[in-house]
Amino acid sequence: VLSQTVSGFSVAIGVETLAQAVRRQGKKVSTIGWPNVSSGQANEIVRYSSADSRAWVAEKSPEDWKVVKVQADGVRILESPLTIKTKNKSYGFHLLLKATPGGYEDVYLDDDEVLSNGTLAQIREGQWGSVALNLEGTQGAWFKLIALSKDLSVFKLYIGAVHTTDAEPPQYLHDIVKAAGFFPGGGNYYALQAGQIDENVYIEQEERLNDWFIHIATYTQTFIGPDLLMLYQSNIDGAGHQFYLTSPRQAGYTTERAALYLHYLEQAYKKADQRVGLFLEGKDENANNVFIVSDHGMAPLHTIVHINELLKQAGVRVESGPHRQAIGVGSGGALNVYINLAGREKEGIVSIADYEKLQEKIVGVLTDFTDPNSGEKVFAIIKKKTELKDLGLQHENSGDIVALATAGYYM
């Protein structure tokens, strides 16, 4: 069915990968955060884990706290419940405060209301803490005290998304969690967009994740010593997607914000460079080959193209149902238009005789499409399926028409 799409990160790779080729030669492979690595393709695998919950902010007023103990020195201990929920389970905790003459500073998170027997975490305003949610320590959440006023009139605790460490084999999972803790998650784009966190917190999340990856890589190199180690570092990607603000046509652009975001980008590159140096420190350069690669670059995006609305206005039936002629599937600046060809598609209705006519019509629509504000062509390259070989895009899953947008436009 034409409307059923799947992420490229989830599709089986159709050729032998580098990891598979190395293993075929009897050598050891470890992959850390590397995308699309299935069981059996590497000896040790650490995957980029998806979140088990949403991030949120716990806000409490003075009325939400109760006194649970008065110490001998007169200091009161206040408590307020906190529940962390995942998709399948809820975890109850206690937030504890000491009411000192100077006000409130330390926040404790614990599984009971008693401070004297130790706590799970202790933080102050601006600090991070973490808590494991299972005995194995493979699942947990990071949290940050955003604001705490001395009179308790303001209390804001950011609770990051829960993540579960996804690694194999089991002994390796146990060992890396013991060495570095649970998978912490990266910069939370959704929390940033919702105003739950600011840019600095987003960057802190990215840095913590990449420090974790480096820690795991160093541990793996030291104690396992694979012949090939494939390591992912996300902070340049995370900063680029969020802070690449270079064109006045982009939403939210100001010269001040552009300068600030450029600083964030530069810091991300510096941090990545430092991590590479840290990982290579003490290693024999003549005995190790290091390749640094990237899966894409960045361009300033300023205009969303609603491709199926464009096709619909041109008279192409794109609505779901028995009369659909075609559908456009966009990803970034790339567009695939699939024609609902009879005999090829499960619910195909376009005859072979009408296929080329419809294909030509859609090519014409895309060719003539210009930005009404700037007058520039929206699509820089437009090819029919039979013309894709020169672009290296000829594949059974490629669209009947493939178009690449002019820089700045995305779908």
Side-chain angles (χ1 to χ4, degrees):
V1 181
L2 287 183
S3 60
Q4 292 180 340
T5 61
V6 62
S7 167
F9 287 108
S10 303
V11 175
I13 298 175
V15 296
E16 185 179 51
T17 66
L18 176 60
Q20 289 172 311
V22 172
R23 287 207 73 190
R24 176 168 49 78
Q25 298 174 52
K27 298 181 183 298
K28 294 188 297 182
V29 178
S30 300
T31 63
I32 300 171
W34 204 263
N36 212 335
V37 179
S38 303
S39 296
Q41 293 184 352
N43 299 80
E44 294 82 29
I45 302 172
V46 180
R47 297 184 179 90
Y48 195 110
S49 304
S50 57
D52 298 325
S53 72
R54 292 180 179 271
W56 58 290
V57 175
E59 296 190 56
K60 294 183 178 289
S61 64
E63 294 75 26
D64 294 323
W65 301 85
K66 66 176 182 179
V67 177
V68 293
K69 184 177 181 180
V70 179
Q71 297 181 165
D73 57 3
V75 172
R76 295 176 302 146
I77 307 299
L78 278 63
E79 184 272 347
S80 187
L82 177 73
T83 301
I84 298 178
K85 297 180 180 180
T86 67
K87 298 172 184 175
N88 303 313
K89 194 172 181 180
S90 295
Y91 300 86
F93 295 97
H94 301 273
L95 293 173
L96 302 169
L97 294 170
K98 284 184 177 180
T100 65
Y104 304 90
E105 283 189 342
D106 295 295
V107 176
Y108 304 86
L109 183 139
D110 206 3
D111 51 8
D112 60 32
E113 299 179 355
V114 181
L115 285 179
S116 59
N117 61 1
T119 59
L120 298 176
Q122 177 183 353
I123 57 174
R124 291 188 174 186
E125 186 176 85
Q127 293 181 343
W128 286 93
S130 67
V131 60
L133 299 180
N134 58 6
L135 292 175
E136 298 81 7
T138 57
Q139 183 187 58
W142 282 82
F143 49 89
K144 182 174 185 176
L145 187 58
I146 302 295
L148 173 62
S149 61
K150 295 292 185 181
D151 60 359
L152 205 52
S153 61
V154 178
F155 180 95
K156 291 184 179 181
L157 182 69
Y158 168 76
I159 313 294
V162 174
H163 286 88
T164 301
T165 314
D166 184 1
E168 57 181 80
Q171 185 61 48
Y172 179 63
L173 168 62
H174 173 271
D175 292 343
I176 64 172
V177 168
K178 183 178 180 181
F182 57 81
F183 179 87
N188 195 315
Y189 165 83
Y190 300 103
L192 181 60
Q193 294 301 307
Q196 296 174 335
I197 59 174
D198 60 19
E199 290 88 348
N200 290 313
V201 174
Y202 176 90
I203 292 170
E204 288 169 357
Q205 292 176 315
E206 278 292 316
E207 297 306 324
R208 178 168 54 243
L209 171 62
N210 288 280
D211 287 342
W212 188 84
F213 276 144
I214 285 291
H215 193 155
I216 300 301
T218 302
Y219 174 89
T220 303
Q221 188 72 18
T222 302
F223 294 101
I224 296 176
D227 298 290
L228 172 66
L229 189 149
M230 304 176 75
L231 167 66
Y232 177 55
Q233 288 281 275
S234 70
N235 66 316
I236 291 178
D237 182 78
H241 280 293
Q242 192 58 46
F243 303 126
Y244 199 90
L245 188 66
T246 61
S247 170
R249 296 178 65 181
Q250 290 177 269
Y253 179 91
T254 65
T255 54
E256 294 81 8
R257 183 174 291 146
L260 177 61
Y261 280 15
L262 177 60
H263 170 72
Y264 292 152
L265 285 169
E266 290 174 343
Q267 290 303 306
Y269 276 89
K270 288 179 180 178
K271 286 285 189 178
D273 183 70
Q274 290 170 3
R275 287 193 188 92
V276 172
L278 178 65
F279 179 67
L280 296 179
E281 193 173 84
K283 294 181 174 61
D284 184 355
E285 294 183 5
N286 296 318
N288 295 279
N289 296 312
V290 179
F291 298 87
I292 299 175
V293 299
S294 174
D295 60 334
H296 65 82
M298 294 285 175
L301 301 179
H302 52 71
T303 304
I304 300 174
V305 178
H306 298 281
I307 190 63
N308 287 305
E309 184 61 30
L310 173 67
L311 295 176
K312 180 180 177 181
Q313 291 178 8
V316 180
R317 298 194 299 272
V318 296
E319 296 90 345
S320 178
H323 302 295
R324 171 181 277 164
Q325 292 177 303
I327 187 173
V329 179
S331 178
L335 168 68
N336 285 270
V337 180
Y338 298 92
I339 294 175
N340 201 13
L341 181 62
R344 184 187 70 183
E345 306 299 337
K346 184 177 179 180
E347 301 173 355
I349 65 166
V350 178
S351 67
I352 293 177
D354 292 333
Y355 173 84
E356 288 190 6
K357 295 178 184 177
L358 183 57
Q359 188 182 45
E360 288 286 355
K361 178 177 182 177
I362 294 172
V363 168
V365 171
L366 300 180
T367 301
D368 295 339
F369 185 39
T370 58
D371 187 328
N373 296 313
S374 67
E376 67 182 319
K377 293 280 188 180
V378 172
F379 292 100
I381 298 174
I382 304 167
K383 296 289 184 181
K384 298 177 184 177
K385 192 177 186 75
T386 54
E387 302 170 335
L388 295 175
K389 188 174 182 180
D390 291 343
L391 295 178
L393 298 176
Q394 192 173 31
H395 190 273
E396 61 180 6
N397 293 335
S398 296
D400 297 288
I401 303 99
V402 173
L404 303 179
T406 302
Y409 298 89
Y410 62 106
M411 290 148 285

